[in-house]
Structure formats: C-alpha cells, structure tokens
Amino acid sequence: MKTEARLLIGLGVFVLIMGIVYGIWSKELSGTVMLIGTGILGIFPGLYYRYWSKRMAGRPEDTDAPVDAGAGFIGSFPGSSIWPFVLGMGCWLMVLALVFGSWLAVIALPTITFALAGATAEGRRGGAASH
Amino acid sequence: MVDVLEPQTAAHDDHGHDEHHGPSGIMNWLTSTDHKVIGLNYTVTSIIMLVIGGAFAMLIRAQLTTPNGSVVTLAQYNELFTMHGSVMIYLFAGPFAFGGLANYMVPIQIGAPDMAFPRLNALSYWLYLTGSITMLLGFAVAGGAANFGWVGYAPLSDALNAPGAGADLWIGALLLTGFSAIFTGVNLVATIFYLRAPGMTMFRMPIFTWNMLVTGILILLAFPVLTAGLVMLYADRHFGTHIYDANHGGVPILWQNIFWFWGHPEVYILALPFFGMVTEIIPVFSRKPLFGYKGMVFATIAIAALSTGVWAHHMFTTGTVLLPFFSFMTYLISIPTGIKFFNWIGSMWGGQIRFTAAMLFAIGFLITFLIGGITGIILASPPLDFFTHDTYFVVAHFHSVVMALVIGAMAGLYYWFPKITGRFLNERIGKAQFWFLFLGSTIFTMPGYLLGLKGMPRRMAVYTLHPEWQHLNTLSSVGAWMIGFSTILFVINAVKTTRSPKTAGPNPWDAHTLEWFTTSPPPHHNFYALPNIRSERPTWDYYHPDAPALTHDDHDPSHMPNAAKGATK
C-alpha cells in the first residue's frame, strides 16, 4: 500500500508545484486552476492510501508471501448480470434525448431508474448465480 | 455471484469446479461480466472501428490523389476528416488498448480472478458501443455528421457554424465514451491496487500492467476535464450560455485549453498501453530479461507527470500561451521516452532474437514511433512550430505516432492471440501484413513532411493552385492503400485462424509473465493454479528454475542470456 500512496502523492505534488510555477509565471487562470485541481486529485486519494498503509498489516501482495497466503474469501464477482446492459441502454437514450428531443427522456429516465434498482437488488440478493 | 478463493498451488482437478455455467450465445454477450468476454467485445468492436475509420481515410486519400479530386464534395470532405480523426482517436486507439487488451490481460497478469468491479466493467462496454453508434449516426441525419475537425474548436463547433444534429451526436458520443473510459480507469486502478496475487508486489508487476495503471490514473485526471468542456459546449449550443462565444464576452480559447488539457495526456493514454505491449514482446523474443525494469517504470510515471504540463504546445500560434514553459516541458518529456527507447534496444542487445510476426511489429513500432517522436521534438520549438503549424508536416507527425500505435496493436494481437483463442495466427500472412503495414506507413507519412514544408495546409480537399504537390500526394495515397491492404490481410488471417486447431498450449512463446501460466484460453476466473511469485518473471522462474530472473543487484554471468537455453518443462 505504501508504493500506491507514494505513486499518487508523488504525481500530485509534482503537478501541484508545476501549477504554482505556471500560475505565477503565466498569470493565466484556466491552466493554473486545472493543474492545481489535477494535483489535488492525485494527492487526495494518495493521502487516503498513506493513512491506511500506516494502520494495516502488510498485505500478501506487498510481501514475499507464498500463494496460499491469499487463500480464503477475496471477493464476490457476479457471473453475469443484465443490469449493466439495461443501464447502458438507458444512458444512451438519455444522450439521444439531448439530440432528438426530451420526449426520449420519458423512456430513458425510467429505464435508468429500473436498471439501478435492479442492480442494487441483485447485489443485495447476492447476484445472479453462475454455477 | 461467485465467491472466489485464491487459486491453489495444487494442479487443477478434473471435476470441473472452475467451469462457468452462465448464459451462452447472445445472452452471454449481453449479460457477461467476465473481463475476458468484455475485453474481447471491446477488441472486436474497436477493430471494426479501425476498419470504418480506415475506410474514411481511403476516401480522403483518393480525393487528394489529384489536385482537383471529385471523389467527394467539399462538405463531405469536412465530414470525412472530422469523423476519420474522431473514430480513430475516440473509438479505436484508446478503447482497443485500455478497454480491449488491458481489460483481458491485466487481471491475468497480476493473478486476479476478474476486474474489481465487473458490472461497472460491463457498463463501460455498453457506453462505448452506444457512443460509437451515436457518433456514426451523424451520417444518417439531415445536415450530415460533425464537420469541424476532431478537436471541435470553438467557434467552428457553435450552433451558428455547426447547426444540426450531427454536431450534437458528436458531443453525445464523446460524453458516452468519456464516461466509459472513466469507469474503465477506475476499474484498472482498483484492480491493480487491490487484487494482486500474493507475492505480486508493485515492483514485480509486468510492465504492461504498470503502463495500464499509469494510463488508468491519467484517464481519471484527464477525461473529466473533457466531459466538463463538452457540457459547456452543449450549453452554449442549446441553453443560451456564451462560455466560448467571443461576441458575448465568452472565451473561445478556453475550449482549446480545456480540450488540450485532456488532449495531450490523451496522447499518452493512447501511447502508454502500446509501450507496455512492446515491452512485453521484445524481451520474450530476444530471450532476455527486460533491460532496466525500474527505469521503465519510472520513465512511464515521468511521462504521465510531464504530460499534464504540455497541453498548450498545440496552441503556440494562438498568441495566448507561455511559449518557454510549454516548449521546455515538451522537451523534457523526450527524456523518459528516450530512456524507454534505450531500454528496448538494451533488451534486444546480445539476445537470441526470434523474428516472429509479433517481434517484427514491435520493431516496426519502435522505428515508426521514433520518427513521430523526433518530429514532435521539432514541433516543440516555437519558431519551427509557427512555420509548420496547420500544415501537412503536423499531419505527418501525428500520423507517424498513431501509425506506430496501429503497428503496436498488431504486435499485441499476434502476441496474445494464442492466449486468447488457443490458436496461432498464420505467421506467413502476419509477416506479409507487417511489411505492407510498416512500409505503407512510411510511404504514407514521409511525403506529408515534405508537403508540409512546401506549405500545403491540412484539411484542404483540393489544391488546384499547386499542381506540383500532386506527385507527393499520390505517393502518400499509395502508402495509405498499402495500409488498407494490410488490414485486409489481418482480417483474412483472423478468419482463417478460427478454423485451425487449438495447438497453442499455456506458454507457446516461452514467455515470462503470469498470463502464460494459465491455460489458453484461460478458464472462468482465470487460474487453476498459481506459481510462487518472486520476480517480475514468475512464469519464466517456474519453467526455468536453473535460470531464474536476474535480481536488480545480481550480476552473476551465469544468469546472462546464454544460460537461458534450457528446454521448457
């Protein structure tokens, strides 16, 4: 976890310093704001990783652990789900509504709501079985 | 929902415990959340986009073969070059790499059962597919497709200059594909941070995975900026705002700043995955470890960091940018890129090189990218950029870069095709394809540099006042058609291979990284077993215990390449 934190904080600090130098030198606002914002975007999650890296025991993937050190439950992965497809179609209709008229949003919004509800319920149930 | 246990060190049992019994056929395509299925969907869709974007290019080159070409009208020509660039950049190069091969390979390279968020991964694909359809729908609406160039500069893209649904479809397509990319970026970063196998420390990850991690971070930094810019563009067109409208106090240059703040990191979002692919391929076919692993990692990170500070080198001639800052930063980025080139050459140096199709494509990538990179350094100099801005010199420069990516894509496909399908692509057709693609790319781009220096502007459909430009244009068109023919060869090869037997086995190239430890194609959730991971070459270490990977402090001559001749187990 330390390497992950260093990577993000390092990138963020570099861009932040670059933003400050650029801002002072150029006095141009849009680029300065974007650079400083980008720097913070790197530093913020980096500090989160740094916080946890100091409070967690070393993970098997961060050490010379043997493969069976990772045995046990590592996550739940849905075998299949229709909801990403339904949500994708809802988002597509929403974008088409921006082009062809808001009447399409009448179909798009319920589709998106239906898909989000379905995906949430599926997650709570434990998802679609794949075995 | 499958609860996944870490793969065991014991060999696979034959009771089929790891077999997947989900939907099949079209329902599998619609509902699968398996990263391999989604990765394949991305790969096939993006190759279709490559063919469509390539067909537009063929029409453009046919039009330019003569000074007063009449293959298309002037209006159609504007649509063609806009959609050619848009399809190739937004719908082929990026999605092929980070949606296709990375989606397929990254979890396997780090010993993970899937991406961290499988349903989000599936949603990414559907947003990408619908975004692609949305963009191409522009040809079916009144007024035609977007016609303001793939960069959508204000005020060319405002409601006055680009009325009609085509421009809105272009904006909508970029919103959809932008969110698709952001979700894929989230997935890549989370997968690499949280789902690595025991022993797979950050500095043992394959370079392709490192490059995809940095690409994922760059996506998260860059794409939201473009999305925000697009929302403001749409608001200007339809909601009466004047953000980019100079007539009402807006700032058109703001669009260029926002677009290129995304656009230059995007160049590396496109390039880094292909850097990663050739970095996997070159050591394997040179029978050597990668030269300078840590140098490669730091060069990748340095490129990403510097790429956020060079955006306005696309805007030198606007007169609104700080020339020395952007010129200096652009020169700096050549240093980590140069480190990569020396490391690639160092990896081949003294090796037992096997000139397979994949290796030829990888070498072709190096040469073509080097030409694109060096001409990029030329353009980083403001005086030279002012001279060549918006000429064919610039077109030739970035086509050298993107043709290198196409060649790199072919390297990745020839290398990983046996892993994905269990079948080998035909090597003879592959080598013929390589020569047509590599020579075609060179013949296509070189005349462009000369035309640019002679003053031929980009985006012009006829050049009746300069008939002396015809010979170079005709030569460039011949190169483009060679590239087109090479694509046909690839399609023939891929179709022909679907009927060949599955003879690849788990590790046909005697390769190094973890994806070559599992079956070809890999099972559901990827592994029946994993080796202990003690270096960046766990598969090599397993098959060659007599010639383990060099540690970073190990200079024992017995570990040099000639010691690596042992037969595989």
Side-chain angles (χ1 to χ4, degrees):
Chain A
M1 201 65 99
K2 277 183 191 161
T3 312
E4 289 90 329
R6 284 178 189 155
L7 172 65
L8 290 170
I9 293 172
L11 276 172
V13 167
F14 177 84
V15 178
L16 190 66
I17 292 170
M18 189 163 58
I20 293 168
V21 171
Y22 175 75
I24 293 169
W25 192 0
S26 72
K27 299 179 178 58
E28 189 269 316
L29 277 178
S30 66
T32 307
V33 170
M34 287 190 287
L35 281 174
I36 291 175
T38 301
I40 293 170
L41 258 177
I43 292 169
F44 208 59
L47 288 176
Y48 171 81
Y49 283 110
R50 188 177 153 79
Y51 175 85
W52 279 109
S53 71
K54 288 181 176 300
R55 286 161 180 78
M56 286 172 59
R59 301 178 303 169
E61 57 265 46
D62 294 326
T63 62
D64 272 345
V67 167
D68 43 12
F73 179 81
I74 61 165
S76 292
F77 298 88
S80 61
S81 172
I82 192 67
W83 299 116
F85 172 73
V86 178
L87 186 56
M89 293 305 114
C91 294
W92 187 28
L93 287 172
M94 197 66 217
V95 164
L96 292 181
L98 294 174
V99 181
F100 296 118
S102 50
W103 60 272
L104 271 167
V106 176
I107 311 169
L109 286 173
T111 308
I112 291 171
T113 310
F114 184 55
L116 288 173
T120 308
E122 182 183 74
R124 287 190 174 181
R125 274 201 313 271
S130 67
H131 275 259
Chain B
M1 194 79 70
V2 185
D3 297 336
V4 175
L5 302 182
E6 193 66 41
Q8 301 301 300
T9 48
H12 164 56
D13 68 30
D14 288 322
H15 303 297
H17 289 167
D18 293 304
E19 293 306 315
H20 176 56
H21 301 295
S24 58
I26 191 162
M27 280 310 287
N28 185 41
W29 182 63
L30 290 178
T31 65
S32 180
T33 52
D34 183 342
H35 72 101
K36 296 185 290 297
V37 176
I38 297 166
L40 271 180
N41 289 344
Y42 258 112
T43 304
V44 172
T45 309
S46 60
I47 289 174
I48 292 170
M49 292 302 143
L50 171 69
V51 171
I52 292 172
F56 296 160
M58 297 301 117
L59 284 171
I60 290 170
R61 287 314 319 173
Q63 170 72 14
L64 293 177
T65 303
T66 55
N68 196 18
S70 55
V71 177
V72 293
T73 65
L74 300 185
Q76 286 170 335
Y77 189 83
N78 289 347
E79 291 176 38
L80 272 180
F81 72 67
T82 300
M83 295 302 278
H84 164 69
S86 299
V87 168
M88 289 303 202
I89 298 289
Y90 302 117
L91 307 183
F92 161 64
F96 173 85
F98 59 70
L101 289 182
N103 215 330
Y104 198 105
M105 289 301 162
V106 164
I108 310 179
Q109 286 200 323
I110 59 172
D114 205 322
M115 292 287 256
F117 308 115
R119 287 186 295 184
L120 188 69
N121 199 18
L123 176 62
S124 295
Y125 173 71
W126 293 115
L127 295 182
Y128 162 59
L129 180 67
T130 53
S132 304
I133 295 168
T134 304
M135 186 173 285
L136 295 172
L137 267 180
F139 286 109
V141 297
N147 61 359
F148 36 66
W150 74 277
V151 292
Y153 276 0
L156 294 176
S157 54
D158 68 14
L160 190 66
N161 292 303
D168 290 328
L169 285 167
W170 184 85
I171 294 170
L174 296 199
L175 288 173
L176 286 166
T177 54
F179 275 107
S180 163
I182 290 167
F183 295 156
T184 301
V186 167
N187 238 328
L188 282 169
V189 174
T191 304
I192 294 168
F193 279 2
Y194 286 106
L195 288 180
R196 303 195 306 277
M200 178 64 78
T201 62
M202 290 288 280
F203 281 96
R204 288 176 184 160
M205 293 197 308
I207 290 290
F208 178 69
T209 296
W210 255 113
N211 280 33
M212 292 318 306
L213 170 63
V214 175
T215 302
I217 293 170
L218 271 182
I219 287 172
L220 296 180
L221 297 179
F223 268 82
V225 178
L226 175 68
T227 305
L230 289 165
V231 170
M232 291 191 282
L233 179 61
Y234 186 85
D236 266 13
R237 290 173 59 84
H238 294 284
F239 298 151
T241 61
H242 302 287
I243 298 163
Y244 306 124
D245 180 4
N247 291 328
H248 295 84
V251 186
I253 289 295
L254 177 63
W255 168 262
Q256 291 195 32
N257 271 301
I258 290 174
F259 182 85
W260 288 115
F261 197 84
W262 162 82
H264 205 83
E266 167 71 0
V267 171
Y268 290 98
I269 289 168
L270 300 183
L272 287 178
F274 298 97
F275 286 178
M277 285 178 209
V278 300
T279 310
E280 296 295 319
I281 292 165
I282 286 172
V284 167
F285 294 110
S286 301
R287 305 275 293 170
K288 281 180 67 184
L290 175 67
F291 181 85
Y293 173 90
K294 284 193 173 176
M296 281 298 214
V297 171
F298 287 118
T300 304
I301 297 168
I303 287 172
L306 291 167
S307 76
T308 58
V310 297
W311 77 92
H313 69 211
H314 298 270
M315 302 162 53
F316 279 165
T317 56
T318 60
T320 63
V321 301
L322 187 61
L323 297 177
F325 179 87
F326 290 106
S327 181
F328 178 68
M329 295 298 289
T330 308
Y331 282 131
L332 274 187
I333 214 165
S334 65
I335 296 172
T337 312
I339 290 171
K340 281 181 177 281
F341 268 91
F342 283 116
N343 284 357
W344 285 322
I345 294 167
S347 298
M348 285 189 274
W349 197 272
Q352 298 166 344
I353 297 176
R354 288 179 284 170
F355 287 103
T356 59
M359 184 64 170
L360 285 175
F361 281 114
I363 294 170
F365 168 88
L366 298 195
I367 296 168
T368 311
F369 195 87
L370 186 64
I371 295 168
I374 286 174
T375 50
I377 295 298
I378 292 171
L379 289 170
S381 163
L384 296 175
D385 183 80
F386 273 66
F387 180 66
T388 53
H389 186 79
D390 264 352
T391 69
Y392 257 77
F393 190 92
V394 176
V395 176
H397 152 67
F398 68 72
H399 275 88
S400 288
V401 172
V402 292
M403 284 317 302
L405 305 188
V406 174
I407 296 171
M410 289 302 155
L413 281 172
Y414 275 82
Y415 179 60
W416 277 316
F417 200 88
K419 176 52 58 185
I420 294 169
T421 65
R423 300 177 169 94
F424 289 100
L425 284 165
N426 184 293
E427 280 285 307
R428 287 183 67 182
I429 298 177
K431 288 175 182 174
Q433 184 200 343
F434 165 75
W435 287 112
F436 273 102
L437 181 56
F438 175 65
L439 293 178
S441 300
T442 311
I443 295 169
F444 161 56
T445 52
M446 286 301 162
Y449 292 112
L450 298 174
L451 284 166
L453 293 176
K454 288 173 185 289
M456 181 170 170
R458 64 194 293 194
R459 294 173 178 155
M460 66 188 304
V462 291
Y463 46 96
T464 42
L465 296 178
H466 293 278
E468 70 274 15
W469 292 344
Q470 183 179 359
H471 296 305
L472 286 169
N473 268 300
T474 304
L475 188 62
S476 185
S477 298
V478 169
W481 294 326
M482 287 172 70
I483 296 167
F485 181 69
S486 79
T487 310
I488 294 170
L489 285 179
F490 174 74
V491 173
I492 290 169
N493 201 352
V495 171
K496 186 171 175 282
T497 304
T498 57
R499 291 195 289 272
S500 65
K502 290 187 179 184
T503 56
N507 189 11
W509 307 124
D510 198 13
H512 304 164
T513 43
L514 218 45
E515 76 270 28
W516 300 104
F517 192 78
T518 188
T519 55
S520 302
H524 193 59
H525 291 138
N526 299 340
F527 291 94
Y528 297 121
L530 277 173
N532 279 327
I533 299 161
R534 292 291 174 270
S535 78
E536 67 266 21
R537 303 199 302 164
T539 301
W540 173 273
D541 293 345
Y542 179 83
Y543 283 112
H544 300 275
D546 53 323
L550 285 168
T551 66
H552 299 298
D553 304 318
D554 191 349
H555 300 289
D556 181 348
S558 68
H559 289 164
M560 294 310 283
N562 287 341
K565 290 178 182 172
T568 57
K569 279 185 181 175

